[in-house]
Amino acid sequence: MEYTLNIPAPNEKQKLFLSDTHKYVAFGGARGGGKSWAVRVKSVLLALQYPGIKIMIVRHTYPELRANHITPLREMLGSLAVYKETAKEFLFPNGSVILFRHCQTEKDVDKYQGTEVDVLFLDEATQLSEEQYNRFKACVRGVNKFPKRIYLTCNPGGEGHAWVKRLFIDRSYNSGENADEYSFIQSLVTDNKALLSSDPDYIKQLEALPPKLRKAWLEGDWNIFEGQFFEDFVDRPEYYKERRWTHVIEPFEVPPEWNIVRSFDFGYSKPFSCDWWAIDYDGRAYLILQLYGCTANPDEGVRWYPDRIFKEIRRIECEHRWLKNRRITGVADPSIWDDSRGNAVIDSADRHFVYFSKGDNRRLSGWMQCHYRLAFDENGLPMVYFFNTCKHAIRTLPLLRFSQTDPEDLDTHMEDHFADSFRYFCMSRPVSPTRAAPVRELTDDPLNQRIQYDPFTYR
Ligand SMILES: Nc1ncnc2c1ncn2[C@@H]1O[C@H](COP(=O)(O)OP(=O)(O)OP(=O)(O)O)[C@@H](O)[C@H]1O
Ligand SMILES: [Mg+2]
């Protein structure tokens, strides 16, 4: 039976991808460049060109496989190939097969151990660990005449950021890896004219992302994890012409009418941080006092078990002239309510009359709130200052680096307990982003909205 397959024309970058015959080809490096489309089309073209070839398409989760590949391919192929739901594969009349496999956990890869394929597509390879990648790579084998290739698509960020960057961006090879076998084709959203004309808002959504993510997903920048996480924190005012452009100031007497908020992050093997913030009439916050220490590793010979911490907090609040006889509200790390391993830390706080409400632990919004507070307005005024006596806050904020897997989070292996306490405080009194920072806040990845959106008909 004669069958005509109508495939829209590929754009220039997709053409390069479709005709690339290197053993390892990576495509994309940014959002919306037409990567998943190219995977679908290339897999079908290979299936038709090489009767009997075995192809596997891998994605992190099954719902993503279904939305990005299986459903659009069913529409595109019509009766040209039969889809077997249980086996999760398309069978072509010429004997070619396209298999779909997801890989969320290490166990998932175990299941595919014995699978042999000729061509492997790893869509969103940056979501796979290097170990998972190596194990999938081992499935590409077989004694036959078919080409053996691995096609990857990728965005900066994600668990696999480092190995994808090494192989395809930095091109730094270990022994046994042959540079001539690797090819990278960058495709940005601006290369995807079909998307730009059908959904002009898409690029606006990318432009509205927080700065690091925007550089990564819109411009395809792979160096997003370098630099300080709080590059907007200014602790050396002498470097600025205008003295007020700083966050660190000399202490002053806190007016008795100002509200006081206490924020707290607990750490057992890492330090805890208890921080007292005074709030002026404009809502500007001043970190006035800090109690900081570690339970597991004695600091100056003191082990800070919860009872000791809260006893000391209580003593400070009863005796310190900036705090005594004031109504102090507290906000804390929600994990201190956890009693799954015995007594919750909060019980100890209650015993010492130190009360807290649960902090909002949404990390991305929380960090955005910290950045909004740190941002200077046109007069050089931020919404948060730190008394120069709060030495642990001033010491740790500039040390924090970006996480190596999540471009909007910090590396949680570092000394981040003051930063977390700062985040809970900021989330308890959110400020408007518009006063200084031109960045819109995100509650979810807006790009996901496009999953249901399919403006194209293939028939
Ligand atoms: N050559 C083309 N002709 C027509 N439509 C296309 C073409 N290339 C891509 N598209 C459409 O553009 C949209 C985005 O493409 P695609 O999903 O492949 O991008 P992506 O790079 O995988 O995006 P993401 O980063 O979100 O995974 C889809 O609706 C897709 O069908
Ligand atoms: Mg995609």
Side-chain angles (χ1 to χ4, degrees):
M1 185 184 71
E2 199 54 23
Y3 189 91
T4 318
L5 184 65
N6 282 325
I7 300 176
N11 65 45
E12 291 309 310
K13 296 295 177 64
Q14 288 169 332
K15 268 188 213 164
L16 291 177
F17 175 77
L18 295 178
S19 55
D20 197 321
T21 55
H22 282 83
K23 186 158 183 203
Y24 304 97
V25 182
F27 185 55
R31 292 298 300 256
K35 303 182 295 291
S36 300
W37 185 96
V39 164
R40 298 196 293 271
V41 171
K42 180 78 189 174
S43 63
V44 170
L45 295 179
L46 285 169
L48 296 176
Q49 189 170 348
Y50 296 97
I53 197 170
K54 214 166 164 189
I55 296 164
M56 177 156 80
I57 300 182
V58 174
R59 237 346 248 246
H60 194 51
T61 64
Y62 183 65
E64 286 171 317
L65 262 182
R66 207 177 39 221
N68 283 276
H69 297 295
I70 300 171
T71 307
L73 273 176
R74 287 179 91 150
E75 277 180 37
M76 176 177 163
L77 293 170
S79 58
L80 183 62
V82 181
Y83 183 65
K84 304 274 182 198
E85 185 69 56
T86 1
K88 302 207 170 22
E89 60 187 33
F90 279 103
L91 292 181
F92 289 75
N94 67 2
S96 298
V97 186
I98 303 179
L99 309 171
F100 298 90
R101 297 293 179 260
H102 72 276
C103 171
Q104 213 164 357
T105 64
E106 296 300 326
K107 273 209 193 110
D108 292 331
V109 202
D110 291 344
K111 287 188 288 197
Y112 314 139
Q113 193 93 336
T115 312
E116 278 192 11
V117 297
D118 302 302
V119 177
L120 171 65
F121 289 90
L122 299 173
D123 193 16
E124 302 276 352
T126 22
Q127 293 182 355
L128 304 177
S129 68
E130 187 161 16
E131 162 77 13
Q132 289 170 330
Y133 165 64
N134 285 328
R135 291 174 63 191
F136 272 117
K137 211 166 78 173
C139 297
V140 182
R141 61 181 178 227
V143 188
N144 57 37
K145 57 187 187 320
F146 300 125
K148 300 284 171 288
R149 289 186 211 143
I150 299 183
Y151 292 97
L152 305 89
T153 76
C154 49
N155 292 314
E159 192 172 355
H161 178 92
W163 67 262
V164 175
K165 180 167 181 276
R166 178 179 74 80
L167 290 173
F168 295 97
I169 310 298
D170 301 340
R171 298 185 64 82
S172 141
Y173 297 102
N174 298 331
S175 67
E177 293 169 347
N178 177 358
D180 296 338
E181 291 182 336
Y182 292 82
S183 153
F184 174 63
I185 301 158
Q186 189 183 52
S187 174
L188 306 177
V189 66
T190 43
D191 293 307
N192 188 355
K193 303 285 183 274
L195 179 60
L196 291 184
S197 63
S198 67
D199 185 2
D201 278 349
Y202 182 81
I203 193 162
K204 290 191 197 129
Q205 292 176 0
L206 289 177
E207 282 162 356
L209 289 166
K212 287 271 172 176
L213 215 48
R214 186 175 62 222
K215 273 197 109 34
W217 286 356
L218 182 64
E219 298 165 28
D221 181 355
W222 288 79
N223 296 318
I224 43 175
F225 299 115
E226 278 144 38
Q228 293 176 12
F229 187 76
F230 285 108
E231 56 193 0
D232 41 2
F233 173 65
V234 180
D235 58 346
R236 292 191 185 83
E238 65 273 22
Y239 290 161
Y240 284 74
K241 281 189 210 138
E242 176 70 64
R243 238 192 72 72
R244 279 188 303 174
W245 290 65
T246 178
H247 295 108
V248 180
I249 54 173
E250 291 287 332
F252 53 79
E253 276 308 309
V254 178
E257 303 79 17
W258 288 11
N259 280 329
I260 307 282
V261 175
R262 170 200 336 108
S263 65
F264 180 74
D265 188 62
F266 180 70
Y268 179 76
S269 55
K270 291 205 284 183
F272 73 88
S273 189
C274 181
D275 305 284
W276 285 272
W277 308 86
I279 320 288
D280 73 11
Y281 297 121
D282 295 330
R284 190 164 284 113
Y286 302 78
L287 178 65
I288 55 169
L289 285 171
Q290 187 175 33
L291 178 68
Y292 194 87
C294 197
T295 313
N297 311 313
D299 178 15
E300 293 157 10
V302 179
R303 278 186 191 276
W304 286 98
Y305 292 114
D307 264 326
R308 186 185 175 106
I309 297 173
F310 297 113
K311 192 172 169 199
E312 182 62 7
I313 291 176
R314 178 74 183 158
R315 188 189 68 76
I316 293 171
E317 293 188 352
C318 291
E319 293 177 11
H320 198 287
R321 66 179 188 285
W322 291 340
L323 303 181
K324 68 181 175 189
N325 303 322
R326 302 219 196 197
R327 196 177 153 269
I328 298 174
T329 50
V331 57
D333 170 8
S335 73
I336 68 170
W337 275 263
D338 176 20
D339 56 4
S340 60
R341 280 172 293 170
N343 292 338
V345 172
I346 192 69
D347 297 339
S348 165
D350 287 347
R351 272 197 299 280
H352 293 280
F353 311 104
V354 175
Y355 300 115
F356 292 102
S357 53
K358 277 189 192 174
D360 184 334
N361 204 8
R362 285 175 297 166
R363 297 181 69 88
L364 175 55
S365 329
W367 296 133
M368 293 309 287
Q369 277 299 326
C370 297
H371 291 307
Y372 297 157
R373 276 208 178 257
L374 288 168
F376 295 102
D377 69 9
E378 63 279 9
N379 300 314
L381 292 174
M383 284 304 280
V384 61
Y385 282 109
F386 302 75
F387 281 10
N388 63 14
T389 42
C390 298
K391 59 180 197 258
H392 293 289
I394 298 163
R395 175 179 62 79
T396 57
L397 272 193
L399 294 180
L400 297 170
R401 321 294 295 180
F402 281 91
S403 142
Q404 286 303 298
T405 49
D406 182 350
E408 281 311 302
D409 209 339
L410 50 72
D411 180 350
T412 54
H413 299 101
M414 306 191 75
E415 199 177 333
D416 59 354
H417 284 243
F418 167 69
D420 282 341
S421 166
F422 177 32
R423 179 163 57 83
Y424 298 129
F425 164 72
C426 290
M427 282 300 262
S428 73
R429 292 180 160 256
V431 293
S432 159
T434 50
R435 54 169 287 280
V439 186
R440 218 170 65 195
E441 188 175 344
L442 293 173
T443 46
D444 189 14
D445 180 348
L447 307 173
N448 290 338
Q449 295 163 6
R450 215 160 34 78
I451 281 175
Q452 287 97 23
Y453 175 74
D454 189 0
F456 302 98
T457 45
Y458 297 97
R459 264 168 274 218

